[in-house]
């Protein structure tokens, strides 16, 4: 397939016409097609116009709103991840205590709760986790510097 | 981004960009959404050099990606055949229905190539940047698209 352009193609596409160019177009299939298509495309473009476009101020406002929303969503991601981690840690600790004390599931829950309330290291872990979550939330949700 | 600069860019680009989005997506309603989303993305991550010459192809690139995303989403939701029907119907254009039908009969990439080359006057290198194709492919694909449109125009006669 011959896909190379003709040297006159750019002029034909711009809609330029003079005697020499007309003579060339009549003998060059490539330029004839380019001329026909470009005239048709220009006609199509003229027929394509929007009704009412939004005001630029409205788009600026929407863009700021969307940025704020995505920044908040991004900032909340680590907080959510830490919450999930805290819950998983809680479950894992409960399961570990239940397994350690050799209890079945029902009493194990009661036992776990008892152990948790009595267990100083786990309490420390919980408080530390909570503090970390608060610190992360405060860091990521702070107002950006202007 | 300074409001004044954005307003200048918007004034110069909004109408042609809407027309591009409308003809490539085949829907005037979709073009309204694509236009808004394009400028929102543009404002939230502007190009490094902020002038009209740099902004315009950047805007076309964003709009092209949004049209492609829309086609992908529609394909997942309703299937390829119905998309073809929707594009061929090309709602919201009113006049020039025959022209609309001929243009909608082309593939979306062919429509984008022809529009960028023949309406916007971009060269192969610029089109390659906007459509994420290589320059040689643009030459071949544009040639084929033009041939297909020329044939469609012949058949309509």
């Amino acid at each position: 397939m011959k896909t190379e352009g003709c040297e006159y193609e750019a002029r034909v596409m711009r809609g330029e016409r003079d005697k020499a160019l007309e003579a060339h177009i009549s003998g060059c299939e490539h330029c004839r097609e380019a001329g026909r298509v470009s005239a048709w495309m220009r006609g199509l473009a003229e027929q394509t116009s929007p009704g009412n476009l939004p005001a630029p101020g409205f788009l600026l406002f929407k863009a700021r709103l969307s940025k704020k929303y995505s920044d908040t969503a991004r900032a909340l991601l680590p907080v959510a991840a830490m919450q999930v981690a805290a819950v998983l840690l809680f479950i894992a600790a409960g399961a570990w205590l239940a397994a350690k004390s050799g209890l079945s599931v029902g009493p194990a829950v009661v036992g776990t709760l008892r152990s948790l309330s009595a267990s100083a290291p786990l309490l420390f872990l919980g408080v530390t986790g909570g503090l970390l979550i608060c610190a992360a939330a405060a860091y990521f949700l702070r107002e950006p510097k202007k | 981004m300074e409001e004044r600069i954005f307003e200048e860019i918007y004034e110069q680009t909004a109408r042609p960009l809407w027309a591009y989005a409308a003809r490539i997506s085949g829907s005037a309603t979709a073009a309204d959404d694509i236009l808004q989303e394009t400028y929102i993305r543009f404002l939230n991550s502007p190009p490094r050099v902020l002038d009209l010459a740099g902004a315009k192809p950047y805007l076309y690139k964003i709009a092209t990606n949004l049209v492609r995303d829309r086609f992908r989403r529609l394909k997942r939701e309703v299937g390829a055949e119905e998309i073809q029907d929707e594009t061929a119907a090309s709602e919201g254009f009113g006049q020039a229905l025959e022209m609309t039908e001929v243009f909608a009969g082309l593939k979306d990439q062919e429509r984008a190539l022809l529009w960028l080359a023949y309406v916007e006057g971009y060269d192969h290198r610029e089109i390659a940047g906007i459509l994420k194709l290589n320059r040689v492919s643009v030459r071949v694909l544009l040639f084929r698209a033009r041939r297909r449109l020329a044939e469609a125009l012949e058949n309509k006669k």
Side-chain angles (χ1 to χ4, degrees):
Chain A
M1 187 192 300
K2 183 179 179 293
T3 58
E4 286 297 330
C6 174
E7 59 178 308
Y8 294 99
E9 189 181 342
R11 289 181 61 197
V12 174
M13 278 170 64
R14 282 196 296 271
E16 289 178 26
R17 291 292 181 272
D18 57 37
K19 275 189 178 173
L21 194 59
E22 292 284 1
H24 168 78
I25 291 170
S26 63
C28 174
E29 195 198 331
H30 193 87
C31 285
R32 223 173 20 247
E33 193 177 276
R36 197 165 63 241
V37 166
S38 70
W40 190 87
M41 288 296 298
R42 279 198 297 274
L44 183 71
E46 279 164 19
Q47 298 285 342
T48 315
S49 59
N52 288 324
L53 289 173
F58 172 69
L59 292 174
L60 278 160
F61 171 74
K62 270 189 93 170
R64 281 178 195 141
L65 206 66
S66 130
K67 183 151 176 44
K68 194 129 190 151
Y69 179 79
S70 61
D71 284 351
T72 308
R74 196 167 51 243
L76 284 173
L77 262 177
V79 177
M82 288 187 78
Q83 282 173 335
V84 170
V87 170
L88 289 175
L89 190 70
F90 180 83
I91 294 167
W96 176 72
L97 282 172
K100 196 183 170 196
S101 55
L103 295 171
S104 60
V105 177
V109 174
V110 179
T112 304
L113 290 172
R114 275 187 195 147
S115 306
L116 274 176
S117 62
S119 171
L122 277 174
L123 197 65
F124 173 74
L125 203 67
V127 171
T128 313
L131 284 172
L132 274 172
I133 290 170
C134 290
Y139 175 79
F140 286 110
L141 293 176
R142 74 191 189 285
E143 274 292 309
K145 283 179 189 166
K146 299 282 178 204
Chain B
M1 184 189 293
E2 260 189 63
E3 282 184 31
R4 190 184 49 81
I5 297 173
F6 173 68
E7 280 170 16
E8 272 175 33
I9 291 172
Y10 184 78
E11 286 301 318
Q12 298 286 320
T13 56
R15 284 182 178 273
L17 189 68
W18 184 91
Y20 173 72
R23 286 302 177 189
I24 306 312
S25 69
S27 160
T29 319
D32 292 338
D33 296 338
I34 289 164
L35 183 89
Q36 287 201 24
E37 188 57 32
T38 300
Y39 283 107
I40 288 170
R41 289 191 186 187
F42 173 80
L43 283 162
N44 287 338
S45 29
R48 270 180 238 144
V49 183
L50 198 62
D51 57 6
L52 186 62
K56 204 175 172 191
Y58 187 66
L59 284 163
Y60 276 88
K61 196 172 182 172
I62 300 173
T64 304
N65 289 338
L66 288 169
V67 173
R68 282 179 180 160
D69 289 348
R70 180 176 176 274
F71 276 125
R72 266 187 228 121
R73 205 173 47 245
L74 283 175
K75 210 176 262 184
R76 270 201 309 271
E77 286 168 8
V78 298
E81 284 169 22
E82 285 177 50
I83 296 172
Q84 196 60 38
D85 289 346
E86 190 203 80
T87 312
S90 297
E91 39 84 22
F93 293 114
Q95 300 170 335
L97 193 64
E98 199 177 331
M99 290 177 106
T100 298
E101 279 173 4
V102 170
F103 200 58
L106 303 172
K107 291 176 189 160
D108 54 313
Q109 189 181 58
E110 291 174 332
R111 293 198 294 267
L113 282 160
L114 288 166
W115 194 276
L116 292 170
Y118 289 93
V119 177
E120 294 302 328
Y122 283 122
D123 63 28
H124 292 175
R125 184 183 54 80
E126 290 167 317
I127 295 173
I130 292 169
L131 299 182
K132 290 191 214 159
L133 296 167
N134 78 49
R135 210 170 155 180
V136 180
S137 305
V138 168
R139 198 184 65 209
V140 176
L141 291 168
L142 185 59
F143 177 85
R144 285 184 192 153
R146 196 180 74 191
R147 178 57 48 88
R148 289 236 310 151
L149 179 58
E151 281 169 8
L153 294 176
E154 279 296 314
N155 294 338
K156 275 278 169 187
K157 274 184 184 173

